[in-house]
Amino acid sequence: MKPTPKTFHVKSFGCQMNVYDGERMGELMAAQGMTPTDDANAADLVVLNTCHIREKATEKVYSDIGRLRKHGKDPMIAVAGCVAQAEGAEIVSRAKVDVVVGPQAYHNLPRLVADAASGKAALDTDMPATAKFGALPARRKVSPSAFLTVQEGCDKFCTYCVVPYTRGAEISRPFDAIVDEAKALVDAGAREITLLGQNVNAWDDEAGNGLHGLIRALDRIEGLHRIRYTTSHPNDMREGLIRAHAEVEKLMPYLHLPVQAGSDRILKAMNRSHSRASYLALLERVRAARPDIALSGDFIVGFPGETEADFADTLSLIDEVRYAASFSFKYSPRPGTPAAEMTDGFVPEPVMDERLQRLQAAIARDQAAFNATTLGKTCNVLIERKGKLPGQMLGKSPWLQSVHLMTDAQIGDLIEVEIVRADPNSLAGVERVRAAA
């Protein structure tokens, strides 16, 4: 039993949806009169908003709990997110934490904190549909670029992925609720909104709007200047969404479309339900609709049974697509997934390491090449934060590149910038014409 907390700190791991969830949990605590602090060791309540995608995610949570117990002020500790969903009561018994709450139940966090303060059990890993969204408080002041969850869960059941078990089946939030939240975000200061979902392009409603219809509705919101979405699945990339990239000016020319591997044999073992050929054909349609689009992807190396020939297929796919950015990982078995039972064809760790280095070298090559194509171009940059140097500001290009420049523009300004230097991981620019406020 601990006193009712007066200050709180939220630490989020993993994907952008966890960032969104962390922000919303912070708003829940603030609505209860608690004060946020950036110092976890000084907080009365620490919420560890966890991710269960990667190997050893659970052990990292226990490590964080240990550090807080050693260096903090003996705070109330809440474990939220996908590790909480997967581990449940085991976390309570093993780590003696105060609150455990799953990603579909975090709207109950205030009640759980109150229960913990009074000595009651505080565990909630129920998975109702979208009940939490209606229970969350109104959005507060936000950054110029804001996240907005529109879809959760996954029905794809890729053999390596734990998401269907920790986030549940695919569900879509109601159209009107999303539009209302988007308007609230803009009223609170957002200039750009990124729509989030485990399979965001699977979003739909009873009227059959599809994600493209939702994007067109957001396009009509005055004061919203940019729209993005992530993460998509190739099988849900409908023609209407491809047309939106050609027709909706606010929809930024960037698409994150994970493929995971370039070998059809491995894609089948992963249960990805698309082939190399169908994926490449889809990218051709997207590029035909929006020729300047930047493409990014996800890759897993060392999936069980992956041969050198399979890996060569992945490298050749990267050579063919020329991604502007990508995320890459070594395969790590997640308990409870079908791939964790695939013991034949195990790829040794040194082989995975070597393949990952080759893959990341190819990705870095293409990212640097894409950045170089922007040299001398003028584009809109959304200023998001201050830089390290006096008078320096940092922002994002339409293609999601980091841009730094010297300017008196303020956070939230959208300005015209000429790109004068293209580095492998960022761009340098010079302001040209200030956009009207």
Side-chain angles (χ1 to χ4, degrees), residues 79-115:
V79 177
C82 292
V83 171
Q85 187 69 40
E87 303 294 330
E90 183 178 344
I91 298 177
V92 178
S93 61
R94 177 177 168 184
K96 303 295 190 293
V97 299
D98 304 283
V99 175
V100 174
V101 60
Q104 306 294 28
Y106 68 73
H107 58 294
N108 293 323
L109 188 55
R111 173 181 60 78
L112 295 169
V113 169
D115 286 346

PDB file of all heavy atoms in Angstrom, residues 79-115:
ATOM      1  N   VAL A  79       2.709  -1.254 -14.724  1.00  0.00           N
ATOM      2  CA  VAL A  79       3.166  -1.825 -15.992  1.00  0.00           C
ATOM      3  C   VAL A  79       1.962  -1.883 -16.928  1.00  0.00           C
ATOM      4  O   VAL A  79       0.952  -2.528 -16.613  1.00  0.00           O
ATOM      5  CB  VAL A  79       3.794  -3.217 -15.808  1.00  0.00           C
ATOM      6  CG1 VAL A  79       4.195  -3.804 -17.163  1.00  0.00           C
ATOM      7  CG2 VAL A  79       5.001  -3.135 -14.887  1.00  0.00           C
ATOM      8  N   ALA A  80       2.082  -1.187 -18.045  1.00  0.00           N
ATOM      9  CA  ALA A  80       0.996  -1.115 -19.016  1.00  0.00           C
ATOM     10  C   ALA A  80       1.489  -1.671 -20.349  1.00  0.00           C
ATOM     11  O   ALA A  80       2.652  -2.018 -20.512  1.00  0.00           O
ATOM     12  CB  ALA A  80       0.529   0.341 -19.175  1.00  0.00           C
ATOM     13  N   GLY A  81       0.584  -1.773 -21.322  1.00  0.00           N
ATOM     14  CA  GLY A  81       0.988  -2.161 -22.665  1.00  0.00           C
ATOM     15  C   GLY A  81       1.008  -3.659 -22.888  1.00  0.00           C
ATOM     16  O   GLY A  81       0.410  -4.452 -22.152  1.00  0.00           O
ATOM     17  N   CYS A  82       1.750  -4.070 -23.925  1.00  0.00           N
ATOM     18  CA  CYS A  82       1.663  -5.440 -24.411  1.00  0.00           C
ATOM     19  C   CYS A  82       2.338  -6.455 -23.497  1.00  0.00           C
ATOM     20  O   CYS A  82       1.892  -7.603 -23.421  1.00  0.00           O
ATOM     21  CB  CYS A  82       2.242  -5.518 -25.820  1.00  0.00           C
ATOM     22  SG  CYS A  82       1.222  -4.652 -27.048  1.00  0.00           S
ATOM     23  N   VAL A  83       3.417  -6.086 -22.818  1.00  0.00           N
ATOM     24  CA  VAL A  83       4.006  -7.015 -21.855  1.00  0.00           C
ATOM     25  C   VAL A  83       3.030  -7.258 -20.714  1.00  0.00           C
ATOM     26  O   VAL A  83       2.881  -8.392 -20.232  1.00  0.00           O
ATOM     27  CB  VAL A  83       5.354  -6.489 -21.328  1.00  0.00           C
ATOM     28  CG1 VAL A  83       5.848  -7.340 -20.165  1.00  0.00           C
ATOM     29  CG2 VAL A  83       6.400  -6.488 -22.442  1.00  0.00           C
ATOM     30  N   ALA A  84       2.352  -6.207 -20.278  1.00  0.00           N
ATOM     31  CA  ALA A  84       1.335  -6.363 -19.226  1.00  0.00           C
ATOM     32  C   ALA A  84       0.247  -7.329 -19.678  1.00  0.00           C
ATOM     33  O   ALA A  84      -0.210  -8.187 -18.907  1.00  0.00           O
ATOM     34  CB  ALA A  84       0.739  -5.000 -18.873  1.00  0.00           C
ATOM     35  N   GLN A  85      -0.183  -7.210 -20.936  1.00  0.00           N
ATOM     36  CA  GLN A  85      -1.213  -8.094 -21.458  1.00  0.00           C
ATOM     37  C   GLN A  85      -0.721  -9.537 -21.506  1.00  0.00           C
ATOM     38  O   GLN A  85      -1.450 -10.474 -21.162  1.00  0.00           O
ATOM     39  CB  GLN A  85      -1.629  -7.647 -22.861  1.00  0.00           C
ATOM     40  CG  GLN A  85      -2.813  -8.393 -23.434  1.00  0.00           C
ATOM     41  CD  GLN A  85      -4.099  -8.067 -22.696  1.00  0.00           C
ATOM     42  OE1 GLN A  85      -4.350  -6.929 -22.334  1.00  0.00           O
ATOM     43  NE2 GLN A  85      -4.938  -9.076 -22.477  1.00  0.00           N
ATOM     44  N   ALA A  86       0.529  -9.729 -21.928  1.00  0.00           N
ATOM     45  CA  ALA A  86       1.061 -11.073 -22.116  1.00  0.00           C
ATOM     46  C   ALA A  86       1.421 -11.745 -20.797  1.00  0.00           C
ATOM     47  O   ALA A  86       1.231 -12.954 -20.630  1.00  0.00           O
ATOM     48  CB  ALA A  86       2.286 -11.023 -23.027  1.00  0.00           C
ATOM     49  N   GLU A  87       1.942 -10.973 -19.852  1.00  0.00           N
ATOM     50  CA  GLU A  87       2.466 -11.556 -18.617  1.00  0.00           C
ATOM     51  C   GLU A  87       1.471 -11.518 -17.462  1.00  0.00           C
ATOM     52  O   GLU A  87       1.483 -12.380 -16.587  1.00  0.00           O
ATOM     53  CB  GLU A  87       3.750 -10.829 -18.202  1.00  0.00           C
ATOM     54  CG  GLU A  87       4.837 -10.847 -19.262  1.00  0.00           C
ATOM     55  CD  GLU A  87       5.386 -12.230 -19.528  1.00  0.00           C
ATOM     56  OE1 GLU A  87       5.383 -13.059 -18.595  1.00  0.00           O
ATOM     57  OE2 GLU A  87       5.808 -12.503 -20.662  1.00  0.00           O
ATOM     58  N   GLY A  88       0.643 -10.460 -17.424  1.00  0.00           N
ATOM     59  CA  GLY A  88      -0.436 -10.377 -16.453  1.00  0.00           C
ATOM     60  C   GLY A  88      -0.012 -10.544 -15.008  1.00  0.00           C
ATOM     61  O   GLY A  88       0.887  -9.877 -14.502  1.00  0.00           O
ATOM     62  N   ALA A  89      -0.646 -11.502 -14.330  1.00  0.00           N
ATOM     63  CA  ALA A  89      -0.427 -11.697 -12.895  1.00  0.00           C
ATOM     64  C   ALA A  89       1.003 -12.090 -12.572  1.00  0.00           C
ATOM     65  O   ALA A  89       1.476 -11.870 -11.448  1.00  0.00           O
ATOM     66  CB  ALA A  89      -1.393 -12.750 -12.364  1.00  0.00           C
ATOM     67  N   GLU A  90       1.720 -12.666 -13.545  1.00  0.00           N
ATOM     68  CA  GLU A  90       3.106 -13.066 -13.282  1.00  0.00           C
ATOM     69  C   GLU A  90       3.965 -11.862 -12.926  1.00  0.00           C
ATOM     70  O   GLU A  90       4.877 -11.951 -12.092  1.00  0.00           O
ATOM     71  CB  GLU A  90       3.691 -13.785 -14.488  1.00  0.00           C
ATOM     72  CG  GLU A  90       5.108 -14.289 -14.260  1.00  0.00           C
ATOM     73  CD  GLU A  90       5.651 -15.051 -15.443  1.00  0.00           C
ATOM     74  OE1 GLU A  90       4.851 -15.450 -16.312  1.00  0.00           O
ATOM     75  OE2 GLU A  90       6.885 -15.244 -15.506  1.00  0.00           O
ATOM     76  N   ILE A  91       3.690 -10.711 -13.557  1.00  0.00           N
ATOM     77  CA  ILE A  91       4.442  -9.496 -13.239  1.00  0.00           C
ATOM     78  C   ILE A  91       4.181  -9.079 -11.800  1.00  0.00           C
ATOM     79  O   ILE A  91       5.089  -8.670 -11.075  1.00  0.00           O
ATOM     80  CB  ILE A  91       4.075  -8.353 -14.206  1.00  0.00           C
ATOM     81  CG1 ILE A  91       4.446  -8.727 -15.640  1.00  0.00           C
ATOM     82  CG2 ILE A  91       4.770  -7.054 -13.809  1.00  0.00           C
ATOM     83  CD1 ILE A  91       4.046  -7.689 -16.666  1.00  0.00           C
ATOM     84  N   VAL A  92       2.934  -9.180 -11.382  1.00  0.00           N
ATOM     85  CA  VAL A  92       2.582  -8.799 -10.010  1.00  0.00           C
ATOM     86  C   VAL A  92       3.331  -9.666  -9.008  1.00  0.00           C
ATOM     87  O   VAL A  92       3.913  -9.169  -8.033  1.00  0.00           O
ATOM     88  CB  VAL A  92       1.064  -8.916  -9.784  1.00  0.00           C
ATOM     89  CG1 VAL A  92       0.722  -8.574  -8.339  1.00  0.00           C
ATOM     90  CG2 VAL A  92       0.308  -7.994 -10.740  1.00  0.00           C
ATOM     91  N   SER A  93       3.349 -10.967  -9.259  1.00  0.00           N
ATOM     92  CA  SER A  93       3.980 -11.875  -8.302  1.00  0.00           C
ATOM     93  C   SER A  93       5.506 -11.815  -8.366  1.00  0.00           C
ATOM     94  O   SER A  93       6.172 -11.884  -7.333  1.00  0.00           O
ATOM     95  CB  SER A  93       3.508 -13.311  -8.558  1.00  0.00           C
ATOM     96  OG  SER A  93       3.871 -13.736  -9.856  1.00  0.00           O
ATOM     97  N   ARG A  94       6.053 -11.658  -9.562  1.00  0.00           N
ATOM     98  CA  ARG A  94       7.508 -11.695  -9.696  1.00  0.00           C
ATOM     99  C   ARG A  94       8.160 -10.375  -9.305  1.00  0.00           C
ATOM    100  O   ARG A  94       9.192 -10.359  -8.634  1.00  0.00           O
ATOM    101  CB  ARG A  94       7.886 -12.057 -11.136  1.00  0.00           C
ATOM    102  CG  ARG A  94       9.388 -12.051 -11.392  1.00  0.00           C
ATOM    103  CD  ARG A  94       9.696 -12.484 -12.809  1.00  0.00           C
ATOM    104  NE  ARG A  94      11.088 -12.217 -13.147  1.00  0.00           N
ATOM    105  CZ  ARG A  94      11.627 -12.430 -14.341  1.00  0.00           C
ATOM    106  NH1 ARG A  94      10.885 -12.942 -15.311  1.00  0.00           N
ATOM    107  NH2 ARG A  94      12.894 -12.148 -14.574  1.00  0.00           N
ATOM    108  N   ALA A  95       7.557  -9.269  -9.728  1.00  0.00           N
ATOM    109  CA  ALA A  95       8.197  -7.963  -9.522  1.00  0.00           C
ATOM    110  C   ALA A  95       7.527  -7.133  -8.440  1.00  0.00           C
ATOM    111  O   ALA A  95       8.003  -6.041  -8.122  1.00  0.00           O
ATOM    112  CB  ALA A  95       8.215  -7.177 -10.831  1.00  0.00           C
ATOM    113  N   LYS A  96       6.420  -7.618  -7.901  1.00  0.00           N
ATOM    114  CA  LYS A  96       5.714  -6.885  -6.842  1.00  0.00           C
ATOM    115  C   LYS A  96       5.334  -5.470  -7.283  1.00  0.00           C
ATOM    116  O   LYS A  96       5.455  -4.515  -6.520  1.00  0.00           O
ATOM    117  CB  LYS A  96       6.571  -6.812  -5.572  1.00  0.00           C
ATOM    118  CG  LYS A  96       6.986  -8.172  -5.025  1.00  0.00           C
ATOM    119  CD  LYS A  96       5.790  -8.972  -4.552  1.00  0.00           C
ATOM    120  CE  LYS A  96       6.207 -10.230  -3.789  1.00  0.00           C
ATOM    121  NZ  LYS A  96       6.875 -11.232  -4.623  1.00  0.00           N
ATOM    122  N   VAL A  97       4.896  -5.349  -8.542  1.00  0.00           N
ATOM    123  CA  VAL A  97       4.456  -4.035  -9.001  1.00  0.00           C
ATOM    124  C   VAL A  97       3.053  -3.770  -8.469  1.00  0.00           C
ATOM    125  O   VAL A  97       2.347  -4.674  -8.018  1.00  0.00           O
ATOM    126  CB  VAL A  97       4.466  -3.937 -10.548  1.00  0.00           C
ATOM    127  CG1 VAL A  97       5.868  -4.138 -11.086  1.00  0.00           C
ATOM    128  CG2 VAL A  97       3.499  -4.914 -11.171  1.00  0.00           C
ATOM    129  N   ASP A  98       2.639  -2.525  -8.544  1.00  0.00           N
ATOM    130  CA  ASP A  98       1.377  -2.114  -7.933  1.00  0.00           C
ATOM    131  C   ASP A  98       0.186  -2.235  -8.871  1.00  0.00           C
ATOM    132  O   ASP A  98      -0.928  -2.534  -8.433  1.00  0.00           O
ATOM    133  CB  ASP A  98       1.504  -0.662  -7.449  1.00  0.00           C
ATOM    134  CG  ASP A  98       2.664  -0.478  -6.502  1.00  0.00           C
ATOM    135  OD1 ASP A  98       2.528  -0.865  -5.334  1.00  0.00           O
ATOM    136  OD2 ASP A  98       3.725   0.022  -6.938  1.00  0.00           O
ATOM    137  N   VAL A  99       0.422  -1.965 -10.173  1.00  0.00           N
ATOM    138  CA  VAL A  99      -0.667  -1.953 -11.154  1.00  0.00           C
ATOM    139  C   VAL A  99      -0.200  -2.661 -12.419  1.00  0.00           C
ATOM    140  O   VAL A  99       0.927  -2.467 -12.873  1.00  0.00           O
ATOM    141  CB  VAL A  99      -1.090  -0.508 -11.506  1.00  0.00           C
ATOM    142  CG1 VAL A  99      -2.145  -0.501 -12.611  1.00  0.00           C
ATOM    143  CG2 VAL A  99      -1.603   0.229 -10.273  1.00  0.00           C
ATOM    144  N   VAL A 100      -1.070  -3.485 -12.987  1.00  0.00           N
ATOM    145  CA  VAL A 100      -0.828  -4.089 -14.298  1.00  0.00           C
ATOM    146  C   VAL A 100      -2.075  -3.844 -15.136  1.00  0.00           C
ATOM    147  O   VAL A 100      -3.189  -4.204 -14.735  1.00  0.00           O
ATOM    148  CB  VAL A 100      -0.546  -5.600 -14.195  1.00  0.00           C
ATOM    149  CG1 VAL A 100      -0.444  -6.213 -15.593  1.00  0.00           C
ATOM    150  CG2 VAL A 100       0.739  -5.858 -13.421  1.00  0.00           C
ATOM    151  N   VAL A 101      -1.894  -3.221 -16.307  1.00  0.00           N
ATOM    152  CA  VAL A 101      -3.039  -2.887 -17.154  1.00  0.00           C
ATOM    153  C   VAL A 101      -2.682  -3.088 -18.621  1.00  0.00           C
ATOM    154  O   VAL A 101      -1.633  -2.654 -19.091  1.00  0.00           O
ATOM    155  CB  VAL A 101      -3.523  -1.438 -16.895  1.00  0.00           C
ATOM    156  CG1 VAL A 101      -2.433  -0.416 -17.182  1.00  0.00           C
ATOM    157  CG2 VAL A 101      -4.786  -1.130 -17.680  1.00  0.00           C
ATOM    158  N   GLY A 102      -3.550  -3.808 -19.336  1.00  0.00           N
ATOM    159  CA  GLY A 102      -3.317  -4.092 -20.743  1.00  0.00           C
ATOM    160  C   GLY A 102      -3.613  -2.905 -21.639  1.00  0.00           C
ATOM    161  O   GLY A 102      -4.210  -1.904 -21.207  1.00  0.00           O
ATOM    162  N   PRO A 103      -3.232  -3.002 -22.919  1.00  0.00           N
ATOM    163  CA  PRO A 103      -3.378  -1.864 -23.836  1.00  0.00           C
ATOM    164  C   PRO A 103      -4.816  -1.523 -24.193  1.00  0.00           C
ATOM    165  O   PRO A 103      -5.076  -0.419 -24.675  1.00  0.00           O
ATOM    166  CB  PRO A 103      -2.594  -2.313 -25.078  1.00  0.00           C
ATOM    167  CG  PRO A 103      -2.574  -3.802 -25.002  1.00  0.00           C
ATOM    168  CD  PRO A 103      -2.538  -4.136 -23.557  1.00  0.00           C
ATOM    169  N   GLN A 104      -5.747  -2.442 -23.958  1.00  0.00           N
ATOM    170  CA  GLN A 104      -7.150  -2.133 -24.246  1.00  0.00           C
ATOM    171  C   GLN A 104      -7.914  -1.706 -22.999  1.00  0.00           C
ATOM    172  O   GLN A 104      -9.105  -1.443 -23.071  1.00  0.00           O
ATOM    173  CB  GLN A 104      -7.845  -3.349 -24.874  1.00  0.00           C
ATOM    174  CG  GLN A 104      -7.148  -3.905 -26.105  1.00  0.00           C
ATOM    175  CD  GLN A 104      -7.167  -2.955 -27.277  1.00  0.00           C
ATOM    176  OE1 GLN A 104      -7.207  -1.747 -27.102  1.00  0.00           O
ATOM    177  NE2 GLN A 104      -7.127  -3.484 -28.488  1.00  0.00           N
ATOM    178  N   ALA A 105      -7.212  -1.644 -21.855  1.00  0.00           N
ATOM    179  CA  ALA A 105      -7.900  -1.334 -20.599  1.00  0.00           C
ATOM    180  C   ALA A 105      -7.295  -0.144 -19.869  1.00  0.00           C
ATOM    181  O   ALA A 105      -7.686   0.148 -18.736  1.00  0.00           O
ATOM    182  CB  ALA A 105      -7.879  -2.559 -19.692  1.00  0.00           C
ATOM    183  N   TYR A 106      -6.377   0.591 -20.516  1.00  0.00           N
ATOM    184  CA  TYR A 106      -5.676   1.634 -19.758  1.00  0.00           C
ATOM    185  C   TYR A 106      -6.557   2.821 -19.393  1.00  0.00           C
ATOM    186  O   TYR A 106      -6.179   3.662 -18.569  1.00  0.00           O
ATOM    187  CB  TYR A 106      -4.409   2.097 -20.480  1.00  0.00           C
ATOM    188  CG  TYR A 106      -4.595   2.856 -21.768  1.00  0.00           C
ATOM    189  CD1 TYR A 106      -5.055   4.171 -21.792  1.00  0.00           C
ATOM    190  CD2 TYR A 106      -4.250   2.287 -22.983  1.00  0.00           C
ATOM    191  CE1 TYR A 106      -5.194   4.875 -22.968  1.00  0.00           C
ATOM    192  CE2 TYR A 106      -4.371   2.988 -24.172  1.00  0.00           C
ATOM    193  CZ  TYR A 106      -4.852   4.282 -24.163  1.00  0.00           C
ATOM    194  OH  TYR A 106      -4.979   4.975 -25.337  1.00  0.00           O
ATOM    195  N   HIS A 107      -7.768   2.887 -19.960  1.00  0.00           N
ATOM    196  CA  HIS A 107      -8.696   3.929 -19.526  1.00  0.00           C
ATOM    197  C   HIS A 107      -9.107   3.729 -18.067  1.00  0.00           C
ATOM    198  O   HIS A 107      -9.616   4.656 -17.427  1.00  0.00           O
ATOM    199  CB  HIS A 107      -9.936   3.965 -20.425  1.00  0.00           C
ATOM    200  CG  HIS A 107     -10.691   2.682 -20.485  1.00  0.00           C
ATOM    201  ND1 HIS A 107     -10.179   1.534 -21.049  1.00  0.00           N
ATOM    202  CD2 HIS A 107     -11.934   2.344 -20.032  1.00  0.00           C
ATOM    203  CE1 HIS A 107     -11.063   0.563 -20.966  1.00  0.00           C
ATOM    204  NE2 HIS A 107     -12.132   1.020 -20.342  1.00  0.00           N
ATOM    205  N   ASN A 108      -8.875   2.515 -17.544  1.00  0.00           N
ATOM    206  CA  ASN A 108      -9.189   2.221 -16.133  1.00  0.00           C
ATOM    207  C   ASN A 108      -8.014   2.518 -15.207  1.00  0.00           C
ATOM    208  O   ASN A 108      -8.085   2.206 -14.009  1.00  0.00           O
ATOM    209  CB  ASN A 108      -9.588   0.749 -15.989  1.00  0.00           C
ATOM    210  CG  ASN A 108     -10.898   0.433 -16.683  1.00  0.00           C
ATOM    211  OD1 ASN A 108     -11.824   1.247 -16.677  1.00  0.00           O
ATOM    212  ND2 ASN A 108     -10.979  -0.738 -17.292  1.00  0.00           N
ATOM    213  N   LEU A 109      -6.956   3.113 -15.723  1.00  0.00           N
ATOM    214  CA  LEU A 109      -5.769   3.357 -14.906  1.00  0.00           C
ATOM    215  C   LEU A 109      -6.057   4.181 -13.651  1.00  0.00           C
ATOM    216  O   LEU A 109      -5.553   3.835 -12.574  1.00  0.00           O
ATOM    217  CB  LEU A 109      -4.686   4.024 -15.766  1.00  0.00           C
ATOM    218  CG  LEU A 109      -3.299   4.199 -15.146  1.00  0.00           C
ATOM    219  CD1 LEU A 109      -2.748   2.870 -14.649  1.00  0.00           C
ATOM    220  CD2 LEU A 109      -2.350   4.827 -16.152  1.00  0.00           C
ATOM    221  N   PRO A 110      -6.830   5.261 -13.702  1.00  0.00           N
ATOM    222  CA  PRO A 110      -7.102   6.004 -12.459  1.00  0.00           C
ATOM    223  C   PRO A 110      -7.736   5.133 -11.372  1.00  0.00           C
ATOM    224  O   PRO A 110      -7.362   5.221 -10.201  1.00  0.00           O
ATOM    225  CB  PRO A 110      -8.045   7.117 -12.913  1.00  0.00           C
ATOM    226  CG  PRO A 110      -7.703   7.332 -14.356  1.00  0.00           C
ATOM    227  CD  PRO A 110      -7.401   5.960 -14.876  1.00  0.00           C
ATOM    228  N   ARG A 111      -8.681   4.291 -11.773  1.00  0.00           N
ATOM    229  CA  ARG A 111      -9.312   3.404 -10.785  1.00  0.00           C
ATOM    230  C   ARG A 111      -8.303   2.403 -10.234  1.00  0.00           C
ATOM    231  O   ARG A 111      -8.280   2.122  -9.018  1.00  0.00           O
ATOM    232  CB  ARG A 111     -10.493   2.660 -11.420  1.00  0.00           C
ATOM    233  CG  ARG A 111     -11.088   1.592 -10.509  1.00  0.00           C
ATOM    234  CD  ARG A 111     -12.242   0.852 -11.153  1.00  0.00           C
ATOM    235  NE  ARG A 111     -11.887   0.171 -12.368  1.00  0.00           N
ATOM    236  CZ  ARG A 111     -11.231  -0.988 -12.419  1.00  0.00           C
ATOM    237  NH1 ARG A 111     -10.839  -1.583 -11.294  1.00  0.00           N
ATOM    238  NH2 ARG A 111     -10.963  -1.561 -13.580  1.00  0.00           N
ATOM    239  N   LEU A 112      -7.459   1.880 -11.094  1.00  0.00           N
ATOM    240  CA  LEU A 112      -6.465   0.905 -10.658  1.00  0.00           C
ATOM    241  C   LEU A 112      -5.451   1.527  -9.709  1.00  0.00           C
ATOM    242  O   LEU A 112      -5.037   0.902  -8.729  1.00  0.00           O
ATOM    243  CB  LEU A 112      -5.760   0.298 -11.871  1.00  0.00           C
ATOM    244  CG  LEU A 112      -6.644  -0.540 -12.800  1.00  0.00           C
ATOM    245  CD1 LEU A 112      -5.907  -0.858 -14.096  1.00  0.00           C
ATOM    246  CD2 LEU A 112      -7.093  -1.822 -12.108  1.00  0.00           C
ATOM    247  N   VAL A 113      -5.053   2.759  -9.999  1.00  0.00           N
ATOM    248  CA  VAL A 113      -4.132   3.462  -9.101  1.00  0.00           C
ATOM    249  C   VAL A 113      -4.789   3.676  -7.731  1.00  0.00           C
ATOM    250  O   VAL A 113      -4.155   3.486  -6.683  1.00  0.00           O
ATOM    251  CB  VAL A 113      -3.690   4.804  -9.718  1.00  0.00           C
ATOM    252  CG1 VAL A 113      -2.961   5.677  -8.699  1.00  0.00           C
ATOM    253  CG2 VAL A 113      -2.788   4.552 -10.926  1.00  0.00           C
ATOM    254  N   ALA A 114      -6.056   4.063  -7.751  1.00  0.00           N
ATOM    255  CA  ALA A 114      -6.777   4.251  -6.480  1.00  0.00           C
ATOM    256  C   ALA A 114      -6.894   2.932  -5.719  1.00  0.00           C
ATOM    257  O   ALA A 114      -6.744   2.893  -4.490  1.00  0.00           O
ATOM    258  CB  ALA A 114      -8.159   4.836  -6.759  1.00  0.00           C
ATOM    259  N   ASP A 115      -7.143   1.832  -6.459  1.00  0.00           N
ATOM    260  CA  ASP A 115      -7.222   0.522  -5.805  1.00  0.00           C
ATOM    261  C   ASP A 115      -5.884   0.155  -5.170  1.00  0.00           C
ATOM    262  O   ASP A 115      -5.834  -0.346  -4.029  1.00  0.00           O
ATOM    263  CB  ASP A 115      -7.609  -0.553  -6.825  1.00  0.00           C
ATOM    264  CG  ASP A 115      -9.074  -0.483  -7.222  1.00  0.00           C
ATOM    265  OD1 ASP A 115      -9.840   0.214  -6.533  1.00  0.00           O
ATOM    266  OD2 ASP A 115      -9.443  -1.122  -8.230  1.00  0.00           O
TER     267      ASP A 115
END
